[in-house]
């Protein structure tokens, strides 16, 4: 039987691949276009990457590709990356305590917390953002005239490492620890070890009354740039062939360290300021790792699909914001799955 030349085979196969790719892009774009009908005027952006390239992108309600957007508590996950950068540089160790790096709070309950417990929201401190009366509640931290004194005054509530309680105090403390361990302002440190290597030139980080960037959030980035961060995580910390974040640290940060499905409908487990959830997409179990912020701000990392989905939303304090972002993610995965 006469064989066809490879060049002819390629001419037959490549158009099919291109058609499949175009079909997938159209399906994803349709999912994003459907959000134009959302009755709330606070969805801002959705950016979808596959293999590092944008395959779908849409902006809403006045947002543009150049708009800086406050990702709120998704910034906690960025702080975790900065902790990892400091660990890789030998500047700190997660087996040591907060007080080892922040002498000002040494001797207090916070100072005695081991960093590993701090990073998994299991510090044991009386800090719970869902309880307005909690001594370490986020709003009280934001209003404190002396943040260090506030941290020292937060009492212990449970044995460290035993109970997950969502709070912003721990990630604020983590940011201060990175500053002290590295000898650099947290924003400057982020610019050097994370943003510059990713080509992120525009960003803004809210600061506390003492002038320290808020490790717990209020970091503003472009949606394309949060997607870049997600891609770096997906690629095991490598960008353009260069190591940015240690792969071992990323694996540790995404690992299921605390089961939280009973208290968080949007996640199964918690790592080092990063979440994980297995989504059932048409009977297929898809592992998703993500950063999450108030209002539905997300950086979703989906290894099985080689995808990153970045969502910017201003539905701050609105329950539907989180639901909407998860619905968008599921719709994207469903549409993508039909093209595979």
């Amino acid at each position: 039987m006469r064989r066809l030349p490879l060049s002819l085979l390629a001419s037959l196969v490549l158009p099919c691949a291109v058609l499949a790719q175009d079909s997938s892009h159209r399906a994803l774009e349709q999912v994003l276009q459907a959000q134009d009908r959302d009755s709330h005027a606070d969805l801002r952006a959705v950016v979808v990457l596959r293999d590092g390239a944008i395959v779908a992108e849409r902006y809403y309600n006045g947002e543009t590709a150049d708009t800086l957007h406050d990702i709120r508590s998704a910034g906690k996950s960025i702080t975790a990356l900065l902790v990892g950068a400091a660990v890789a540089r030998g500047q700190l160790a997660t087996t040591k305590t907060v007080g080892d790096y922040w002498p000002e709070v040494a001797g207090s309950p916070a100072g005695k917390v081991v960093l590993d417990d701090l990073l998994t929201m299991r510090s044991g401190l009386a800090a719970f953002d869902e309880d307005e009366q909690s001594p370490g509640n986020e709003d009280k931290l934001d209003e404190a005239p002396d943040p260090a004194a506030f941290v020292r005054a937060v009492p212990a509530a449970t044995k460290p490492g035993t109970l997950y309680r969502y709070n912003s105090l721990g990630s604020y403390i983590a940011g201060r620890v990175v500053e002290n361990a590295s000898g650099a302002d947290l924003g400057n440190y982020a610019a050097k070890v994370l943003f510059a290597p990713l080509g992120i030139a525009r960003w803004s980080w809210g600061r506390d009354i003492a002038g320290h960037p808020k490790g717990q959030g209020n970091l503003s980035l472009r949606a394309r740039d949060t997607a870049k961060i997600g891609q770096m995580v997906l690629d095991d910390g490598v960008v353009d062939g260069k190591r940015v974040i240690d792969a071992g640290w990323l694996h540790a940060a995404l690992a299921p360290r605390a089961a939280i499905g009973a208290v968080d409908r949007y996640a199964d487990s918690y790592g080092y300021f990063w979440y994980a959830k297995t989504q059932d997409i048409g009977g297929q179990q898809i592992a998703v790792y993500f950063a999450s912020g108030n209002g539905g701000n997300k950086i979703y990392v989906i290894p099985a699909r080689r995808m990153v989905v970045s969502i910017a939303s201003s539905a701050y304090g609105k329950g539907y914001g989180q639901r909407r972002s998860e619905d968008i993610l599921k719709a994207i995965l469903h549409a993508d799955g039909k093209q595979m």
Side-chain angles (χ1 to χ4, degrees):
M1 182 177 179
R2 182 170 175 267
R3 294 182 179 180
L4 293 174
L6 289 178
S7 58
L8 179 57
L9 285 173
S11 69
L12 296 174
V13 173
L14 287 177
C16 294
V18 171
L19 287 173
Q21 186 179 52
D22 289 344
S23 178
S24 177
H25 288 189
R26 285 196 299 272
L28 295 176
E29 288 289 358
Q30 288 172 0
V31 171
L32 272 53
Q33 290 170 10
Q35 306 311 312
D36 291 345
R37 300 191 294 271
D38 186 86
S39 60
H40 306 287
D42 48 21
L43 180 62
R44 300 302 180 191
V46 181
V47 177
V48 184
L49 306 183
R50 190 195 305 279
D51 295 325
I54 295 175
V55 292
E57 178 181 37
R58 197 168 185 85
Y59 297 88
Y60 312 86
N61 301 302
E63 190 101 342
T64 71
D66 289 325
T67 304
L68 290 178
H69 181 81
D70 186 348
I71 62 174
R72 296 295 175 94
S73 286
K76 290 178 171 64
S77 301
I78 309 305
T79 297
L81 298 179
L82 300 181
V83 172
V87 169
R89 288 163 174 75
Q91 295 168 329
L92 61 79
T94 59
T95 54
K96 292 191 174 182
T97 67
V98 170
D100 287 330
Y101 301 101
W102 193 1
E104 195 174 0
V105 303
S108 70
K112 298 175 183 177
V113 175
V114 174
L115 293 179
D116 190 86
D117 292 332
L118 190 77
L119 294 167
T120 57
M121 299 280 186
R122 297 182 295 181
S123 68
L125 296 173
F128 187 29
D129 287 353
E130 296 179 22
D131 180 5
E132 294 180 357
Q133 303 305 312
S134 174
N137 177 274
E138 178 182 20
D139 292 338
K140 294 180 180 179
L141 171 62
D142 286 339
E143 296 166 1
D146 184 340
F150 179 87
V151 171
R152 286 196 303 269
V154 176
T158 59
K159 181 180 178 181
T162 61
L163 184 64
Y164 169 89
R165 279 288 182 269
Y166 183 84
N167 68 90
S168 293
L169 181 67
S171 45
Y172 171 78
I173 293 172
R176 295 292 297 269
V177 164
V178 170
E179 285 192 321
N180 289 346
S182 66
D185 174 89
L186 189 65
N188 293 339
Y189 194 70
K192 177 181 179 181
V193 306
L194 182 63
F195 297 156
L198 270 64
I200 297 173
R202 294 182 58 241
W203 53 276
S204 175
W205 206 333
R207 293 173 178 263
D208 69 10
I209 194 169
H212 300 278
K214 296 181 177 181
Q216 70 270 35
N218 295 127
L219 173 62
S220 296
L221 292 159
R222 302 186 314 156
R224 285 181 177 178
D225 289 336
T226 52
K228 286 181 182 178
I229 292 171
Q231 186 65 42
M232 184 272 296
V233 172
L234 180 61
D235 290 338
D236 275 345
V238 175
V239 176
D240 295 332
K242 297 181 180 179
R243 170 69 55 197
V244 176
I245 299 294
D246 181 70
W249 176 260
L250 289 175
H251 296 164
L254 301 183
R257 296 178 174 275
I260 64 172
V263 296
D264 188 335
R265 62 174 289 188
Y266 299 107
D268 296 329
S269 63
Y270 199 68
Y272 285 159
F273 296 156
W274 280 82
Y275 297 85
K277 184 176 178 64
T278 298
Q279 297 285 356
D280 187 331
I281 307 298
Q284 186 179 10
Q285 303 303 301
I286 305 293
V288 179
Y289 304 93
F290 61 102
S292 178
N294 189 332
N297 291 286
K298 306 286 182 180
I299 306 174
Y300 290 115
V301 178
I302 311 103
R305 298 290 180 85
R306 311 186 318 281
M307 293 179 75
V308 171
V309 177
S310 173
I311 300 177
S313 169
S314 295
Y316 304 128
K318 307 291 179 61
Y320 64 77
Q322 302 290 2
R323 292 194 300 272
R324 179 176 63 196
S325 291
E326 186 177 66
D327 288 344
I328 292 172
L329 169 69
K330 289 180 177 179
I332 288 171
L333 293 177
H334 273 291
D336 180 63
K338 291 178 181 179
Q339 307 305 318
M340 296 179 68

